């Protein structure tokens, strides 16, 4: 009896110790997970605002604290590069345009996601992304990012004004110029014929590139040499400046994405060519005075002999820094932020036509909000040009050089020929060709 009692007491004691150990271990694991904080450098965008609003769900589910830090788009890439070159672990995740992400991948600044996706295939719903978006972020056979939003470009025009003045929807650049002239002159300058982006850098280059391709130009020739001094590129630049100087808003040289869309949404301009995501904002009654008055069409052509489509295929993604100390936690956030349920919820919070999920784009919610332009947007995406902007290591500098050239022509300080020849020469030197 005494020995039995001793064994019983001993077993109870051991059990108690093991239970306490398990409790302690669980406590340590939970505390460890809760202690992890990851930081993401984000674009100021509706998708970022939606993630911020939904973030408490992720933090409750995982115990991972996430700091989303908005960085102005103009300086985001240079700030990311500064952190990368310092091998800084300050940011675990970077959100940026893939046009720069390709250079990050080439330099080894961001990590391939293939192993994460393989281990977490149900959460990383790569099959549900618009193929052009997710496939664009494959580099050297590896997936380097997941899309958070994407877009193409299209022509937005005022249906009511076109009907009032008997103007047909432009399909050529000559018709675009003529439509701009008619609206501007017949409204006696009360409505600008067109508004486009003029601010140098990615702002004006993103829209100017539509004209480059529409005139039959391209960034690089078949041998990979810069081709921005071609007759087509010079003609596109001359046209871009001329239509804005004649029929665009005063001060257009300072217009970035936001200023340009606000000019159109306010009803002060009859046309614009810009990102397809702008359709959602033009159709938002809380901020637009042209709801229901806008038509959507493909970018007009100057020639049928184009080398590539003037519609962009642009995707912005989330990337994991090579220097992150919390790559597993960064992956959990990245896969959560891009899944279709989060994207569907984001539509309820902020206008966002750029969601990359096929099933969300097919949802009743998406169609009820964006049906006015969804067909034109999907046509533009399907016709999108993956080479619309340069995807080389020096993309950031190349875009800056071309942006300066376009701005100088718009300001009238240089001819299109001089500006583009000079930009091309500098790009050749930059690339060491």
């Amino acid at each position: 009896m005494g020995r039995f009692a001793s064994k019983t007491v001993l077993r109870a004691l051991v059990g108690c110790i093991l239970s306490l150990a398990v409790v302690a271990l669980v406590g340590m694991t939970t505390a460890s997970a809760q202690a992890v904080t990851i930081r993401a450098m984000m674009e100021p965008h509706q998708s970022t605002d939606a993630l911020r609003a939904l973030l408490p769900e992720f933090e409750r589910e995982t115990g991972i604290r996430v700091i989303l830090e908005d960085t102005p788009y103009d300086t985001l890439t240079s700030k990311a590069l500064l952190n990368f070159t310092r091998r800084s672990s300050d940011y675990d995740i970077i959100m940026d345009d893939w046009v720069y992400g390709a250079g990050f991948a080439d330099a080894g600044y961001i990590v391939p996601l293939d192993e994460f996706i393989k281990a977490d295939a149900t959460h990383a719903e790569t099959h549900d992304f618009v193929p052009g978006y997710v496939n664009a972020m494959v580099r050297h056979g590896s997936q380097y990012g997941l899309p958070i939003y994407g877009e193409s470009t299209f022509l937005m025009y005022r249906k009511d004004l076109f009907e009032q003045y008997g103007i047909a929807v432009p399909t050529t650049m000559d018709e675009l110029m003529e439509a701009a002239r008619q609206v501007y002159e017949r409204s006696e300058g009360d409505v600008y014929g067109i508004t486009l982006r003029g601010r140098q850098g990615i702002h004006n280059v993103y829209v100017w590139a539509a004209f480059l391709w529409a005139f039959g130009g391209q960034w690089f020739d078949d041998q990979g040499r810069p081709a921005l001094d071609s007759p087509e590129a010079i003609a596109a630049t001359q046209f871009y400046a001329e239509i804005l100087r004649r029929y665009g808003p005063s001060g257009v040289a300072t217009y970035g994405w936001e200023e340009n869309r606000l000019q159109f949404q306010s009803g002060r301009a009859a046309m614009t060519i810009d990102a397809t995501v702008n359709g959602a904002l033009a159709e938002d009654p809380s901020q637009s005075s042209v709801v229901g008055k806008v038509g959507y069409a493909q970018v007009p052509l100057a020639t049928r002999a184009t080398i590539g489509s003037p519609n962009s295929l642009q995707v912005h993604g989330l990337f994991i820094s090579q220097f992150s100390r919390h790559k597993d936690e960064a992956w959990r956030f990245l896969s959560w932020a891009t899944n279709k349920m989060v994207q569907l919820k984001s539509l309820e919070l902020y206008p966002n036509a750029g969601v990359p999920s096929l099933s969300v784009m097919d949802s009743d919610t998406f169609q009820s909000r964006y049906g006015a332009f969804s067909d034109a947007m999907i046509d533009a995406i399907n016709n999108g040009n993956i080479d619309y902007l340069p995807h080389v290591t020096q993309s950031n500098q190349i875009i800056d050089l071309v942006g300066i050239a376009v701005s100088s022509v718009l300001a009238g300080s240089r001819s299109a020929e001089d500006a583009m020849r000079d930009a091309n020469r500098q790009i050749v030197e930059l690339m060491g060709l």
Side-chain angles (χ1 to χ4, degrees):
M1 184 71 179
R3 290 181 61 189
F4 178 78
S6 297
K7 288 182 179 179
T8 302
V9 169
L10 182 59
R11 290 193 185 109
L13 185 59
V14 169
C16 183
I17 291 171
L18 289 174
S19 298
L20 289 171
V22 169
V23 169
L25 182 60
V26 170
M28 288 174 63
T29 303
T30 304
S32 176
Q34 288 176 341
V36 172
T37 297
I38 59 174
R39 185 185 298 269
M41 186 186 300
M42 305 292 284
E43 293 178 30
H45 187 266
Q46 303 95 301
S47 55
T48 301
D49 294 335
L51 288 178
R52 188 172 284 112
L54 297 169
L55 202 52
E57 295 180 15
F58 175 79
E59 293 183 330
R60 277 197 303 272
E61 178 186 336
T62 64
I64 300 169
R65 182 169 176 255
V66 183
I67 298 172
L68 301 180
E69 186 176 302
D70 283 0
T71 302
Y73 187 59
D74 288 344
T75 58
L76 188 148
T77 302
S78 57
K79 184 176 179 179
L81 284 169
L82 183 62
N83 275 267
F84 287 144
T85 54
R86 289 177 173 171
R87 306 176 69 84
S88 169
S89 61
D90 287 352
Y91 295 96
D92 303 280
I93 294 170
I94 304 295
M95 173 182 175
D96 205 348
D97 191 327
W98 176 245
V99 71
Y100 304 122
F104 298 163
D106 289 348
Y109 293 150
I110 56 178
V111 300
L113 303 179
D114 306 275
E115 293 301 318
F116 293 111
I117 292 171
K118 192 183 300 180
D120 190 13
T122 57
H123 206 44
E125 297 160 321
T126 52
H127 61 281
D128 189 52
F129 292 125
V130 174
Y133 291 163
V134 69
N135 293 339
M137 288 190 281
V138 174
R139 194 79 169 171
H140 312 304
S142 293
Q143 187 79 43
Y144 275 90
L146 292 183
I148 187 68
Y149 77 91
E151 63 189 21
S152 185
T153 43
F154 56 17
L155 169 68
M156 303 169 66
Y157 64 95
R158 287 281 300 280
K159 291 186 297 185
D160 55 332
L161 294 176
F162 274 42
E163 183 177 346
Q164 178 182 345
Y165 297 133
I167 303 170
V169 180
T171 59
T172 70
M173 285 294 173
D174 286 341
E175 291 173 355
L176 187 77
M177 182 74 83
E178 177 60 15
R181 183 192 69 79
Q182 287 207 41
V183 171
Y184 185 76
E185 292 182 356
R186 296 175 72 174
S187 69
E188 298 182 339
D190 189 48
V191 180
Y192 298 113
I194 192 167
T195 180
L196 301 166
R197 303 187 201 179
R199 187 190 307 168
Q200 74 179 42
I202 186 60
H203 288 283
N204 62 5
V205 171
Y206 185 61
V207 178
W208 167 86
F211 292 75
L212 171 70
W213 291 99
F215 274 78
Q218 59 183 335
W219 288 90
F220 304 102
D221 64 19
D222 293 341
Q223 283 72 49
R225 292 184 64 82
L228 298 172
D229 58 352
S230 68
E232 294 82 5
I234 292 169
T237 308
Q238 178 61 35
F239 184 95
Y240 194 82
E242 188 174 334
I243 196 171
L244 283 175
R245 282 203 299 262
R246 287 185 180 183
Y247 311 120
S250 57
V252 71
T254 65
Y255 282 15
W257 170 73
E258 186 167 15
E259 293 84 358
N260 190 53
R261 72 173 178 82
L262 290 175
Q263 186 71 261
F264 185 77
Q265 286 173 214
S266 70
R268 293 283 291 120
M271 296 185 289
T272 188
I273 293 173
D274 211 311
T276 49
V277 294
N278 287 16
L281 301 164
E283 301 294 341
D284 181 357
S286 70
Q287 57 179 304
S288 172
S289 63
V290 295
V291 176
K293 299 177 180 177
V294 181
Y296 302 87
Q298 302 308 300
V299 175
L301 298 175
T303 174
R304 291 185 179 277
T306 55
I307 299 170
S309 167
N311 297 99
S312 74
L313 183 61
Q314 215 60 32
V315 57
H316 298 239
L318 296 176
F319 316 111
I320 298 178
S321 169
Q322 178 66 50
F323 310 107
S324 167
R325 294 173 182 167
H326 305 293
K327 293 185 178 68
D328 289 338
E329 289 81 3
W331 165 253
R332 291 191 68 179
F333 171 76
L334 192 152
S335 61
W336 170 83
T338 56
N339 79 46
K340 62 186 177 187
M341 292 309 298
V342 171
Q343 291 182 47
L344 190 58
K345 289 179 182 177
S346 76
L347 285 184
E348 304 291 343
L349 298 171
Y350 296 95
N352 183 10
V355 289
S357 163
L358 290 169
S359 54
V360 173
M361 291 172 69
D362 195 41
S363 69
D364 291 341
T365 302
F366 187 94
Q367 290 299 322
S368 65
R369 286 173 180 252
Y370 307 132
F373 63 91
S374 64
D375 287 347
M377 180 183 73
I378 291 169
D379 285 346
I381 291 171
N382 289 337
N383 191 37
N385 181 353
I386 192 62
D387 295 320
Y388 181 83
L389 291 176
H391 289 84
V392 294
T393 305
Q394 303 91 345
S395 292
N396 196 26
Q397 300 99 311
I398 291 172
I399 287 170
D400 282 345
L401 289 169
V402 174
I404 291 170
V406 172
S407 287
S408 68
V409 180
L410 182 57
S413 60
R414 303 190 74 184
S415 70
E417 183 171 356
D418 286 348
M420 297 311 293
R421 288 189 188 283
D422 193 36
N424 200 72
R425 178 186 56 76
Q426 293 181 72
I427 293 169
V428 168
E429 292 177 2
L430 174 70
M431 298 181 73
L433 299 174

